[in-house]
Amino acid sequence: MSNTLLGRAASFLKRQVRAVRMARRGNMALIFALSIIPVLVTGGAGIDLARSLAVRAKLYAAVDAAALAVASKSGITQTQANTLAQQYFNANFTLNSSFGSPNPVTVAINGQQVTVSSNIAMPTTIMGVVGIQNVNLTASSQVVWGQTKIWVGLALDNTGSMCEPSSSPCTNPSGSKINALKTATHSLLTMFQNASATAGDVQVSLIPFNRDVNIGAANSGASWLDWTEWDETHGSCSISGYSTKSSCESASNGTCSVGGTMSQSSCSTQGTCSVVAFTTQSTCTNSSTGGVCSLSSYTTQSTCQSNGACSVGGFTSSSTCTNSSTGGVCNNTAFTTKSTCQSSTGYCSVGSFTTQSTCTNSSTGGICSKSPGTNNTKTKCNNAGGTWTAGLWTVRAGVWTAGVWTTGVWTPGVWTPATWTGATWTPSHTGWTGCVMDRGTVAGPTSSTSNTGYDLVNTTPATLPESKFPVENYNQCPTQMMGLGYDWTALSTKVDAMDADGNTNQTIGLAWAWQSLTQGAPLSPPSLPTGTTRHIILLSDGENTQNRWYTDRQSIDDRMHLLCNNAKADGVIIWTVFVNIAGTAGNAASMQDCATGGASGGHYIEVTSTGGIGAAFDVIGQQITNLRVAH
């Protein structure tokens, strides 16, 4: 019934009461007037009761919303709590002033519970006739936290389309999806922080993703990284002119121990001979000429070994050199045979005197400093102004040195083949910005040991390259992720750093969110406490467009389907939020399929406005933390 009709009924009732009071007519009029009053009062009471029930419902809805809002914030003052509660109350109490004006809310915060109360004096309509002008209504809402041990992986779309309505790359303009995501994530983190009765009860990881995930360049030395593709083009060759590993290490490239840079086949023809004069293996090892003789005058093995040299000069054959009589040399050159040398009685110190008498003759036994010629006597020498040196006879037998014949020694040439060293590629990991791709082989996701592929599981990386995380320098590398923890300030700072650029690969975001909730490398969270539930919240605003191998949506969706099933089988609860502004984001089938329970399981939310992101996160946060209205 409208307010106008209610007003008319009240006016009618008042006129009838006045008429009764003023009537001077007969009893019939008086009886009629008196009988209609209870009827109208009874009907008016029903109308005002209906109005009070409507106001009461609105009042409770408003205090519930206000209590949930305050409970989702942490570290706020009482004044801030009062202001926030009043804002949410006002937004949800939408009745006009004819129903009265609610009093300001009161807020009480006590441990893990928040209580918000308000009251209103609702004006009556017909009941005012009998003196009841207002009905006082009171509502109180108490919100408490239930679940206290939670691990949550936030896989958040940081692709270029999140810039909308701006273009990519963006600077996070007001009204963009990435800006709304930041605001919503801050609120969600606050809700999680508040749900922790003890520090660490609730822990969160943050995984911004586009085509890749950024794990941080500081991990460049980690054993769980695969540098196969990176090393192909990042490094230096031991020989100049090559810019890739494969071209550098080609069999035709290398250095030879004797010839510098050349191919292995060319180097195999090279070598060195122990005899310097030979430069080829055939000449070096020739059985006749390939060598060197100890006697420089012979150049073949046969002539070298058939000849020799005498230890004393003048002999050219073994027979003459070693002749027992003449094969030698006397220290007194006057004797040429062994017998005469060793039998001599002495020798003179000057001249050619061979006997003692002639050597020591006082007149002739000597030598003049002047030309001997005519100065061959002491007198003549002195007369000529010369100096006469008298001969001195030394009595001693001569020393005979016999000749020794040494046959020529032939040293054959030895050929040492050249050694070839293949060109080596020295990889460089300098300049890597931290981006990693989907796990698997270069050719595709499947591997020799797992036909489902490592991109779909949370196993710890092993020795196989495809089990590790392949690095690359994606030019649109997203903000670095943050592993599981409860440093709320650091998480908030990381959210502020998010930007939007690049293509969409929801699978890799999910894979790393799952890894963040899994013990062991690469992220190594602590042991899962008893009673802890694990959740992944995936938010994306479009379809899959590119991963490591594919650019068609269906191929990527197929990988995502398998990954989601594996994670859910591991006990992880997956929530998905599909941001579909004005219905332009396409088909959300992959997001619906990924959510726990599918499209109708209550874990999939589609929003059609940027403001809906915050609302969706509030709903999910309340359910995860079991934030509930107690009464």
Side-chain angles (χ1 to χ4, degrees), residues 136-166:
N136 292 319
L137 301 173
T138 300
S140 179
S141 178
Q142 186 180 85
V143 171
V144 297
W145 290 273
Q147 174 69 45
T148 57
K149 293 186 183 298
I150 311 162
W151 282 7
V152 183
L154 299 179
L156 305 181
D157 189 332
N158 276 207
T159 59
S161 57
M162 289 293 288
C163 282
E164 294 173 352
S166 179

mmCIF file of all heavy atoms in Angstrom, residues 136-166:
data_model
loop_
_atom_site.group_PDB
_atom_site.id
_atom_site.type_symbol
_atom_site.label_atom_id
_atom_site.label_comp_id
_atom_site.label_asym_id
_atom_site.label_seq_id
_atom_site.Cartn_x
_atom_site.Cartn_y
_atom_site.Cartn_z
ATOM 1 N N ASN A 136 10.028 1.513 17.661
ATOM 2 C CA ASN A 136 11.484 1.453 17.797
ATOM 3 C C ASN A 136 12.008 0.080 17.356
ATOM 4 O O ASN A 136 11.588 -0.949 17.888
ATOM 5 C CB ASN A 136 11.888 1.730 19.246
ATOM 6 C CG ASN A 136 11.616 3.174 19.649
ATOM 7 O OD1 ASN A 136 11.854 4.084 18.863
ATOM 8 N ND2 ASN A 136 11.113 3.363 20.851
ATOM 9 N N LEU A 137 12.926 0.100 16.384
ATOM 10 C CA LEU A 137 13.512 -1.132 15.844
ATOM 11 C C LEU A 137 15.023 -1.120 16.072
ATOM 12 O O LEU A 137 15.689 -0.105 15.859
ATOM 13 C CB LEU A 137 13.215 -1.259 14.350
ATOM 14 C CG LEU A 137 11.735 -1.284 13.964
ATOM 15 C CD1 LEU A 137 11.589 -1.231 12.449
ATOM 16 C CD2 LEU A 137 11.053 -2.535 14.515
ATOM 17 N N THR A 138 15.578 -2.249 16.486
ATOM 18 C CA THR A 138 17.015 -2.367 16.754
ATOM 19 C C THR A 138 17.573 -3.578 16.002
ATOM 20 O O THR A 138 16.910 -4.625 15.920
ATOM 21 C CB THR A 138 17.279 -2.535 18.257
ATOM 22 O OG1 THR A 138 16.771 -1.398 18.942
ATOM 23 C CG2 THR A 138 18.777 -2.657 18.544
ATOM 24 N N ALA A 139 18.807 -3.427 15.464
ATOM 25 C CA ALA A 139 19.472 -4.543 14.776
ATOM 26 C C ALA A 139 20.935 -4.580 15.179
ATOM 27 O O ALA A 139 21.584 -3.530 15.308
ATOM 28 C CB ALA A 139 19.342 -4.408 13.266
ATOM 29 N N SER A 140 21.443 -5.767 15.376
ATOM 30 C CA SER A 140 22.849 -5.945 15.740
ATOM 31 C C SER A 140 23.405 -7.132 14.952
ATOM 32 O O SER A 140 22.725 -8.149 14.800
ATOM 33 C CB SER A 140 22.974 -6.202 17.242
ATOM 34 O OG SER A 140 24.328 -6.395 17.596
ATOM 35 N N SER A 141 24.637 -6.984 14.440
ATOM 36 C CA SER A 141 25.280 -8.055 13.657
ATOM 37 C C SER A 141 26.658 -8.343 14.222
ATOM 38 O O SER A 141 27.450 -7.423 14.444
ATOM 39 C CB SER A 141 25.388 -7.645 12.192
ATOM 40 O OG SER A 141 26.041 -8.644 11.445
ATOM 41 N N GLN A 142 26.939 -9.623 14.446
ATOM 42 C CA GLN A 142 28.248 -10.032 14.953
ATOM 43 C C GLN A 142 28.931 -10.928 13.916
ATOM 44 O O GLN A 142 28.376 -11.931 13.494
ATOM 45 C CB GLN A 142 28.090 -10.800 16.265
ATOM 46 C CG GLN A 142 29.425 -11.141 16.933
ATOM 47 C CD GLN A 142 29.218 -11.898 18.226
ATOM 48 O OE1 GLN A 142 29.078 -13.114 18.207
ATOM 49 N NE2 GLN A 142 29.162 -11.172 19.337
ATOM 50 N N VAL A 143 30.131 -10.519 13.481
ATOM 51 C CA VAL A 143 30.900 -11.265 12.479
ATOM 52 C C VAL A 143 32.103 -11.886 13.162
ATOM 53 O O VAL A 143 32.821 -11.214 13.910
ATOM 54 C CB VAL A 143 31.345 -10.353 11.323
ATOM 55 C CG1 VAL A 143 32.325 -11.079 10.412
ATOM 56 C CG2 VAL A 143 30.133 -9.884 10.525
ATOM 57 N N VAL A 144 32.327 -13.161 12.910
ATOM 58 C CA VAL A 144 33.478 -13.865 13.493
ATOM 59 C C VAL A 144 34.221 -14.612 12.397
ATOM 60 O O VAL A 144 33.694 -14.895 11.322
ATOM 61 C CB VAL A 144 33.026 -14.871 14.580
ATOM 62 C CG1 VAL A 144 32.375 -14.158 15.734
ATOM 63 C CG2 VAL A 144 32.097 -15.921 13.991
ATOM 64 N N TRP A 145 35.498 -14.949 12.688
ATOM 65 C CA TRP A 145 36.298 -15.770 11.788
ATOM 66 C C TRP A 145 36.245 -17.218 12.251
ATOM 67 O O TRP A 145 36.299 -17.493 13.454
ATOM 68 C CB TRP A 145 37.748 -15.307 11.776
ATOM 69 C CG TRP A 145 37.952 -13.988 11.122
ATOM 70 C CD1 TRP A 145 38.162 -13.734 9.806
ATOM 71 C CD2 TRP A 145 37.989 -12.717 11.779
ATOM 72 N NE1 TRP A 145 38.302 -12.386 9.600
ATOM 73 C CE2 TRP A 145 38.210 -11.730 10.789
ATOM 74 C CE3 TRP A 145 37.833 -12.302 13.103
ATOM 75 C CZ2 TRP A 145 38.307 -10.385 11.066
ATOM 76 C CZ3 TRP A 145 37.930 -10.958 13.385
ATOM 77 C CH2 TRP A 145 38.156 -10.009 12.383
ATOM 78 N N GLY A 146 36.192 -18.138 11.273
ATOM 79 C CA GLY A 146 36.162 -19.548 11.614
ATOM 80 C C GLY A 146 37.483 -20.217 11.288
ATOM 81 O O GLY A 146 38.290 -20.508 12.143
ATOM 82 N N GLN A 147 37.764 -20.453 9.976
ATOM 83 C CA GLN A 147 38.994 -21.114 9.530
ATOM 84 C C GLN A 147 40.201 -20.261 9.899
ATOM 85 O O GLN A 147 40.234 -19.068 9.641
ATOM 86 C CB GLN A 147 38.946 -21.312 8.018
ATOM 87 C CG GLN A 147 40.232 -21.860 7.421
ATOM 88 C CD GLN A 147 40.460 -23.296 7.828
ATOM 89 O OE1 GLN A 147 39.537 -24.082 7.778
ATOM 90 N NE2 GLN A 147 41.667 -23.626 8.222
ATOM 91 N N THR A 148 41.194 -20.860 10.518
ATOM 92 C CA THR A 148 42.347 -20.073 10.960
ATOM 93 C C THR A 148 43.660 -20.492 10.315
ATOM 94 O O THR A 148 44.648 -19.800 10.481
ATOM 95 C CB THR A 148 42.498 -20.174 12.492
ATOM 96 O OG1 THR A 148 42.620 -21.555 12.860
ATOM 97 C CG2 THR A 148 41.302 -19.549 13.184
ATOM 98 N N LYS A 149 43.722 -21.622 9.621
ATOM 99 C CA LYS A 149 44.965 -22.048 8.977
ATOM 100 C C LYS A 149 44.695 -22.213 7.487
ATOM 101 O O LYS A 149 44.011 -23.150 7.066
ATOM 102 C CB LYS A 149 45.482 -23.356 9.588
ATOM 103 C CG LYS A 149 45.946 -23.204 11.041
ATOM 104 C CD LYS A 149 46.579 -24.479 11.551
ATOM 105 C CE LYS A 149 46.976 -24.352 13.011
ATOM 106 N NZ LYS A 149 47.979 -23.298 13.241
ATOM 107 N N ILE A 150 45.254 -21.282 6.710
ATOM 108 C CA ILE A 150 44.941 -21.222 5.282
ATOM 109 C C ILE A 150 46.217 -20.904 4.507
ATOM 110 O O ILE A 150 47.022 -20.073 4.937
ATOM 111 C CB ILE A 150 43.911 -20.103 4.983
ATOM 112 C CG1 ILE A 150 42.722 -20.189 5.933
ATOM 113 C CG2 ILE A 150 43.456 -20.146 3.536
ATOM 114 C CD1 ILE A 150 41.926 -18.903 5.992
ATOM 115 N N TRP A 151 46.417 -21.564 3.370
ATOM 116 C CA TRP A 151 47.434 -21.200 2.390
ATOM 117 C C TRP A 151 46.715 -20.814 1.104
ATOM 118 O O TRP A 151 45.856 -21.569 0.625
ATOM 119 C CB TRP A 151 48.373 -22.364 2.120
ATOM 120 C CG TRP A 151 49.421 -22.581 3.182
ATOM 121 C CD1 TRP A 151 49.525 -21.948 4.386
ATOM 122 C CD2 TRP A 151 50.526 -23.493 3.114
ATOM 123 N NE1 TRP A 151 50.615 -22.400 5.085
ATOM 124 C CE2 TRP A 151 51.252 -23.352 4.330
ATOM 125 C CE3 TRP A 151 50.973 -24.396 2.169
ATOM 126 C CZ2 TRP A 151 52.393 -24.103 4.595
ATOM 127 C CZ3 TRP A 151 52.110 -25.145 2.443
ATOM 128 C CH2 TRP A 151 52.820 -25.001 3.636
ATOM 129 N N VAL A 152 47.073 -19.658 0.559
ATOM 130 C CA VAL A 152 46.398 -19.165 -0.643
ATOM 131 C C VAL A 152 47.432 -18.731 -1.679
ATOM 132 O O VAL A 152 48.336 -17.934 -1.371
ATOM 133 C CB VAL A 152 45.476 -17.966 -0.322
ATOM 134 C CG1 VAL A 152 44.736 -17.525 -1.580
ATOM 135 C CG2 VAL A 152 44.482 -18.323 0.775
ATOM 136 N N GLY A 153 47.312 -19.249 -2.893
ATOM 137 C CA GLY A 153 48.130 -18.799 -4.016
ATOM 138 C C GLY A 153 47.301 -17.906 -4.915
ATOM 139 O O GLY A 153 46.270 -18.334 -5.441
ATOM 140 N N LEU A 154 47.713 -16.641 -5.088
ATOM 141 C CA LEU A 154 46.989 -15.693 -5.932
ATOM 142 C C LEU A 154 47.635 -15.660 -7.314
ATOM 143 O O LEU A 154 48.752 -15.153 -7.475
ATOM 144 C CB LEU A 154 47.021 -14.292 -5.314
ATOM 145 C CG LEU A 154 46.390 -14.125 -3.930
ATOM 146 C CD1 LEU A 154 46.540 -12.679 -3.452
ATOM 147 C CD2 LEU A 154 44.921 -14.520 -3.964
ATOM 148 N N ALA A 155 46.970 -16.214 -8.310
ATOM 149 C CA ALA A 155 47.451 -16.185 -9.700
ATOM 150 C C ALA A 155 46.692 -15.063 -10.407
ATOM 151 O O ALA A 155 45.523 -15.217 -10.758
ATOM 152 C CB ALA A 155 47.206 -17.525 -10.381
ATOM 153 N N LEU A 156 47.371 -13.929 -10.618
ATOM 154 C CA LEU A 156 46.693 -12.715 -11.078
ATOM 155 C C LEU A 156 47.150 -12.318 -12.475
ATOM 156 O O LEU A 156 48.352 -12.177 -12.750
ATOM 157 C CB LEU A 156 46.964 -11.568 -10.093
ATOM 158 C CG LEU A 156 46.590 -11.858 -8.628
ATOM 159 C CD1 LEU A 156 46.880 -10.643 -7.761
ATOM 160 C CD2 LEU A 156 45.124 -12.279 -8.504
ATOM 161 N N ASP A 157 46.191 -12.145 -13.347
ATOM 162 C CA ASP A 157 46.422 -11.767 -14.741
ATOM 163 C C ASP A 157 47.038 -10.368 -14.803
ATOM 164 O O ASP A 157 46.444 -9.391 -14.347
ATOM 165 C CB ASP A 157 45.071 -11.787 -15.477
ATOM 166 C CG ASP A 157 45.218 -11.617 -16.970
ATOM 167 O OD1 ASP A 157 46.203 -10.987 -17.406
ATOM 168 O OD2 ASP A 157 44.331 -12.081 -17.712
ATOM 169 N N ASN A 158 48.259 -10.281 -15.345
ATOM 170 C CA ASN A 158 48.923 -8.993 -15.565
ATOM 171 C C ASN A 158 49.164 -8.764 -17.047
ATOM 172 O O ASN A 158 50.160 -8.175 -17.455
ATOM 173 C CB ASN A 158 50.257 -8.945 -14.804
ATOM 174 C CG ASN A 158 50.115 -8.531 -13.355
ATOM 175 O OD1 ASN A 158 51.036 -7.979 -12.752
ATOM 176 N ND2 ASN A 158 48.966 -8.793 -12.759
ATOM 177 N N THR A 159 48.247 -9.243 -17.901
ATOM 178 C CA THR A 159 48.413 -9.120 -19.342
ATOM 179 C C THR A 159 47.987 -7.738 -19.826
ATOM 180 O O THR A 159 47.392 -6.951 -19.093
ATOM 181 C CB THR A 159 47.593 -10.197 -20.064
ATOM 182 O OG1 THR A 159 46.211 -10.038 -19.709
ATOM 183 C CG2 THR A 159 48.055 -11.583 -19.667
ATOM 184 N N GLY A 160 48.281 -7.462 -21.103
ATOM 185 C CA GLY A 160 48.020 -6.144 -21.655
ATOM 186 C C GLY A 160 46.572 -5.713 -21.593
ATOM 187 O O GLY A 160 46.270 -4.526 -21.415
ATOM 188 N N SER A 161 45.643 -6.664 -21.727
ATOM 189 C CA SER A 161 44.224 -6.303 -21.725
ATOM 190 C C SER A 161 43.762 -5.794 -20.364
ATOM 191 O O SER A 161 42.707 -5.153 -20.267
ATOM 192 C CB SER A 161 43.367 -7.504 -22.136
ATOM 193 O OG SER A 161 43.602 -8.600 -21.276
ATOM 194 N N MET A 162 44.540 -6.049 -19.319
ATOM 195 C CA MET A 162 44.178 -5.530 -17.994
ATOM 196 C C MET A 162 44.379 -4.021 -17.911
ATOM 197 O O MET A 162 44.014 -3.392 -16.919
ATOM 198 C CB MET A 162 44.995 -6.232 -16.908
ATOM 199 C CG MET A 162 44.624 -7.683 -16.673
ATOM 200 S SD MET A 162 42.973 -7.892 -15.975
ATOM 201 C CE MET A 162 43.229 -7.298 -14.304
ATOM 202 N N CYS A 163 44.993 -3.422 -18.954
ATOM 203 C CA CYS A 163 45.137 -1.957 -19.003
ATOM 204 C C CYS A 163 43.819 -1.263 -19.340
ATOM 205 O O CYS A 163 43.670 -0.060 -19.110
ATOM 206 C CB CYS A 163 46.152 -1.553 -20.073
ATOM 207 S SG CYS A 163 47.856 -1.766 -19.585
ATOM 208 N N GLU A 164 42.921 -1.986 -19.987
ATOM 209 C CA GLU A 164 41.703 -1.346 -20.471
ATOM 210 C C GLU A 164 41.030 -0.540 -19.363
ATOM 211 O O GLU A 164 41.004 -0.966 -18.202
ATOM 212 C CB GLU A 164 40.739 -2.429 -20.991
ATOM 213 C CG GLU A 164 41.268 -3.142 -22.218
ATOM 214 C CD GLU A 164 40.401 -4.325 -22.631
ATOM 215 O OE1 GLU A 164 39.467 -4.682 -21.876
ATOM 216 O OE2 GLU A 164 40.667 -4.901 -23.695
ATOM 217 N N PRO A 165 40.527 0.669 -19.708
ATOM 218 C CA PRO A 165 40.297 1.176 -21.071
ATOM 219 C C PRO A 165 41.496 1.823 -21.745
ATOM 220 O O PRO A 165 41.377 2.348 -22.847
ATOM 221 C CB PRO A 165 39.200 2.221 -20.845
ATOM 222 C CG PRO A 165 39.494 2.741 -19.476
ATOM 223 C CD PRO A 165 39.965 1.555 -18.687
ATOM 224 N N SER A 166 42.683 1.821 -21.112
ATOM 225 C CA SER A 166 43.866 2.369 -21.754
ATOM 226 C C SER A 166 44.487 1.300 -22.639
ATOM 227 O O SER A 166 44.026 0.165 -22.704
ATOM 228 C CB SER A 166 44.861 2.828 -20.693
ATOM 229 O OG SER A 166 46.022 3.349 -21.281
#
